Structures are given as structure tokens and as C-alpha cells.
Amino acid sequence: MSSNKYNVPALEKAIAIIETLSEHDSPLGVSELCKLVDIPKTSVFFILNTLDKHQYLSKTEDGKYKLGNKFINIGLGILNKIEIREVAKPYMEKLLLETGFTVHLAVLDNGEAMYVEKVEKRGFVKFSTYIGQRLPLHASGVGKALAAHIPAEELDAIIQLKGLPEKTENTITNPHELKAELAKIRSLGYAVEDEEGESGIRCIGVPILDHENMPVASVSVTALRADLPIHDIPIVGEKVKQTALNISTRLGYSKGN
């Protein structure tokens, strides 16, 4: 049975008008729209007025139409309702299969990185990390990835509040050295935590960005130092970057932002 039986012609015409307006940078007049969507002028006029009445369109001073802010509000509402864990989990599981390393997802919470998801393979070696665990930004892969992309004033406030306590002999405890490290992270696209939070452990973290190009979370792999030698870090780093990009894209991020 054809699905056309259940179509609503007026609604399809409205959708065609909306999509046409979204594809043009400049507002369009009634006559222009009629030619582009091949719909009678009377129908276009009534549809435009109805959409304008409900604030889905706005009318310019010269009588042309463009999409209204209501579409922005609806879009933001959809993005805000996306559950980051639900979106990230399949990509985290894929990264686990590709690397064999434990994968963590963290968010920034009260000046710290907090794990909100974790996937790991079944085996003898398991890390005692857990969902809800908090880590300092300066001494963790997920934390450094987040710190590298938050506003400078926010970072300074966090350093002032939390300090830069030493976790191991490799922990960065100097603010200037930390900021130089964060600049390097922005250049590479990933953060490396090399036995800075815990001896014998290496992590690679990458921020997850939203539609406003702001960090909403970070994803990382955690491995024993012996299992992640220095020369493998760039290879694994690229895999983590691709994972973060895939998740970011699902959240509305675009490289052109």
C-alpha cells in the first residue's frame, strides 16, 4: 500500500517552503518562493501567513520571509535533550574493540572531571575507576582535554580554587607549565596523561564539543604504561580523536563552527 495515502498536501507544501528558505541566505518573497517550490501563489501566501503567525517565520520590512527564531529554540531543545552517555556508548565500545584499552567518558563538574560512563574488556587487568569518580583537571587525560578548551578565566578560577596538587613525580604543578601543556594539547588535538595521576598508567583524552564548539565532555583511553608505549601514542591518539569527533557530530558539532 502506498504511503502517499496518508500524506497531508498542505503540510508537504509547508515543509517545502521551510526547506527552501533554509537553503537560502537571503529572505525570499512570495513570487520567488512560488517559482522555487512550484506551488500556487495563493497557497504559498496562506502558508507563509500561518507560519509567520506562529513565529516560525519572520517578515522583513520589504515583505520577504526568512526562518524565525522558533526553529533555533526547537533545535536547541532537541540538542539539550540528547543524553550524552546514550550517544557516546556505541562509539566508546568501538574504540575499546579497536584499542583493547578501557574507555572513559567524563564531564566537567565543579572544577573537576567526573566519569559518567566506562567500558572495558573482560580480562585479568581491570582499572578500579568507576562512574561518579572525580579527577583533577591537571592530572588526568579527560581533565586535561577539558581544561584545554574551557575559557581562560574559568581555568584560572579552577586553579585558584582547586590548586595543582602533586599526585606523582610527573604531575604538572606550575600554572605556567600547565597552560603551555594545554596549548600543546590544542595543537595536537588530544591530551596525554603520562603517569601524572597514577604511576604506571597512561591516558589519552580528547574533548567532545557541542553545536557551539564548547566542550561538554571528554573521552579517553586508559592503559598500563607497558601496554601503551610512547611510539604508539600518536596512533591511538588519532583513534580517540575520531571517536570524539563522531560523538561531537551527533551532538550538533560541525568543523565549520
Side-chain angles (χ1 to χ4, degrees), residues 147-148 176-189:
H176 297 293
E177 291 181 12
L178 176 62
K179 290 179 180 180
E181 172 74 3
L182 298 181
K184 179 181 176 183
I185 291 168
R186 287 190 291 273
S187 176
L188 284 174

Side-chain angles (χ1 to χ4, degrees), residues 166-205:
E166 182 177 314
K167 298 295 182 180
T168 72
E169 62 181 14
N170 295 323
T171 306
I172 299 174
T173 58
N174 181 287
H176 297 293
E177 291 181 12
L178 176 62
K179 290 179 180 180
E181 172 74 3
L182 298 181
K184 179 181 176 183
I185 291 168
R186 287 190 291 273
S187 176
L188 284 174
Y190 59 85
V192 178
E193 184 257 298
D194 192 0
E195 299 186 272
E196 297 160 48
E198 184 178 349
S199 296
I201 305 298
R202 281 180 175 149
C203 300
I204 301 175

